[in-house]
Amino acid sequence: MGGLAREERRRWGVGAVVILAHGALAIAVIVGIVRGAGSAQSLAPAPVTVATASTSLYVHVSGAVNAPGLYVLHADARVVDAVAAAGGLAEDAEAAGVNLARPVSDGEQVIVPRVGEAPAAGPAGVTADGRVNLNSADEGALDTLPGVGPAIAGRIIEWREANGRFASVDDLLSVSGIGPKMLESLRDLVTV
């Protein structure tokens, strides 16, 4: 009987910690947005936040944010995290022009449009330099790669959904139908 009560207390404790962590994160985002709203926009580079090298990625946030700049975020970060790190949306931001729920990838530039500006064009998962991002590309973008048709594009997406983000381009070798020769033909055309 004592073991059952102890297990129940442990579960309640874990639940409380999770709720407190989410609450702290929400408060941090709100404080960042409020602080950013009160400050004037500067052209000076924003400070870079610190995360460990093995679990971080670099994201350049620009456009209608309060503190544009280069930020180091955790590997599982989303656009909302990048925007929060950049001080939140500026007063003239077109919030509907950016998908805040989308995961970000290393080396990405997140551009928040201003009211009246068109959002950055291009297929989902294609970077500004034209490379296809294996972690965010849809089947259509993957299908544009040489030798990748709908079947292999589908397998890439299936692998990503089953295994999480691609850590490197070399992870493509784990996808059925992609061998060393095909990997080499794709290496300069894709990114993670």
Side-chain angles (χ1 to χ4, degrees):
M1 189 79 163
L4 200 55
R6 189 176 21 237
E7 177 64 24
E8 187 174 336
R9 280 194 309 266
R10 187 186 66 76
R11 259 189 277 165
W12 278 100
V14 169
V17 168
V18 169
I19 290 171
L20 288 173
H22 281 105
L25 177 62
I27 290 170
V29 169
I30 290 169
V31 168
I33 290 171
V34 169
R35 278 189 187 162
S39 65
Q41 188 169 353
S42 169
L43 295 178
V48 175
T49 58
V50 179
T52 61
S54 63
T55 62
S56 63
L57 46 91
Y58 289 80
V59 179
H60 178 203
V61 186
S62 63
V65 292
N66 290 310
L70 178 65
Y71 293 91
V72 180
L73 304 171
H74 289 283
D76 60 351
R78 296 186 179 268
V79 171
V80 68
D81 302 317
V83 169
L89 295 171
E91 208 170 284
D92 61 343
E94 179 62 69
V98 65
N99 179 359
L100 296 173
R102 181 180 58 77
V104 294
S105 58
D106 189 44
E108 178 179 353
Q109 181 179 26
V110 173
I111 303 171
V112 178
R114 299 186 187 285
V115 173
E117 286 182 345
V126 177
T127 62
D129 64 4
R131 293 184 297 161
V132 174
N133 187 312
L134 297 172
N135 290 316
S136 60
D138 59 15
E139 188 174 320
L142 292 167
D143 195 19
T144 65
L145 295 167
V148 176
I152 292 181
R155 284 188 223 132
I156 291 171
I157 292 170
E158 287 172 15
W159 188 93
R160 183 175 69 202
E161 289 171 353
N163 299 288
R165 301 173 59 82
F166 284 88
S168 76
V169 173
D170 292 329
D171 287 343
L172 279 174
L173 289 173
S174 299
V175 175
S176 174
I178 299 179
K181 187 175 180 180
M182 184 175 197
L183 173 64
E184 287 311 310
S185 71
L186 297 174
R187 187 173 297 282
D188 294 333
L189 304 174
V190 297
T191 187
V192 293

